[in-house]
Amino acid sequence: MKLFIAREALDPHLRQGAAAIDSRSTISQRIPAAFKAGLHYAVWYPLRWMPLTLEVPVGTHSRLKRHYKHIEKYSRKLSRALFHAMVLNGPKLEKRQLLLGCYVDIATELFAMSCAVSRTDSLLQKDPQQSLSTIHYLCSRGVERIKQLFHQSKDTKSEHRGYKLAQELMGEVESRQ
């Protein structure tokens, strides 16, 4: 399921730049595609670094705004990290399953946090006396997990060891046949 979710996250980027890197296409087809993708990313990428969208939904309870800001901040960071991984790994990214798994887990945390904050905000509209301790705890734990997952995503040694182990095990299976 994680690889399916990762594929869905990568799909817009693949549609944007696939024609530029498709080795089956002629150079005359690839150059315009690369130019078009370059124009898109010249606008898209810098926006991932700028906190331009820190506006939270109108009418949001004031004590929930910081959670929306965390969600937005880490969403931008995740989009940058995924883009960097695509640029650095190219088609081999699909083989980096631990890395993609970390990114999917980060996206899942962000989704859970946004749903919880939205639901809490809707409850506060009905009863302003609702306790916010649960949502504060949930979001602070979510931010901690997201930070840990970003840290884990940089651990290439573990991924390399896992790949070597898989190769050894496959070699043993093949030698028994």
Side-chain angles (χ1 to χ4, degrees):
M1 190 66 173
K2 284 186 177 186
L3 290 177
F4 174 75
I5 294 169
R7 170 67 183 185
E8 288 301 306
L10 294 170
D11 193 52
H13 297 288
L14 294 174
R15 277 188 269 124
Q16 191 64 240
I21 60 172
D22 185 358
S23 59
R24 295 171 294 174
S25 299
T26 65
I27 197 73
S28 61
Q29 293 170 319
R30 292 169 73 181
I31 289 175
F35 184 72
K36 182 180 174 188
L39 286 177
H40 169 77
Y41 286 112
V43 173
W44 180 87
Y45 185 74
L47 292 176
R48 303 291 78 81
W49 287 96
M50 295 179 214
L52 298 175
T53 58
L54 283 181
E55 294 180 26
V56 295
V58 175
T60 298
H61 191 278
S62 61
R63 292 178 57 204
L64 295 176
K65 289 181 180 182
R66 70 180 166 128
H67 299 307
Y68 276 118
K69 289 179 181 182
H70 279 125
I71 293 164
E72 196 272 338
K73 170 187 169 183
Y74 287 111
S75 294
R76 282 186 293 106
K77 183 174 181 175
L78 177 59
S79 66
R80 289 191 313 262
L82 191 54
F83 179 74
H84 293 160
M86 288 180 62
V87 169
L88 293 172
N89 295 286
K92 293 180 183 178
L93 181 58
E94 70 181 30
K95 295 177 183 174
R96 305 263 330 261
Q97 293 182 19
L98 291 178
L99 175 67
L100 291 173
C102 283
Y103 291 160
V104 168
D105 289 344
I106 291 167
T108 304
E109 284 294 332
L110 290 167
F111 177 71
M113 288 169 58
S114 62
C115 289
V117 172
S118 178
R119 177 70 176 143
T120 301
D121 195 32
S122 122
L123 291 173
L124 284 169
Q125 302 298 328
K126 296 174 188 168
D127 179 11
Q129 302 304 318
Q130 287 277 330
S131 171
L132 297 176
S133 57
T134 303
I135 192 67
H136 292 323
Y137 175 77
L138 185 134
C139 287
S140 67
R141 288 289 297 138
V143 166
E144 287 174 26
R145 282 191 293 273
I146 288 168
K147 287 178 181 178
Q148 289 172 346
L149 288 163
F150 272 121
H151 182 73
Q152 285 176 10
S153 71
K154 295 175 183 161
D155 180 15
T156 57
K157 290 179 184 176
S158 177
E159 193 169 26
H160 183 68
R161 287 192 313 266
Y163 181 77
K164 283 180 74 172
L165 174 61
Q167 293 298 315
E168 289 174 19
L169 294 173
M170 291 301 291
E172 289 177 17
V173 169
E174 289 174 4
S175 68
R176 290 182 187 162
Q177 292 177 351

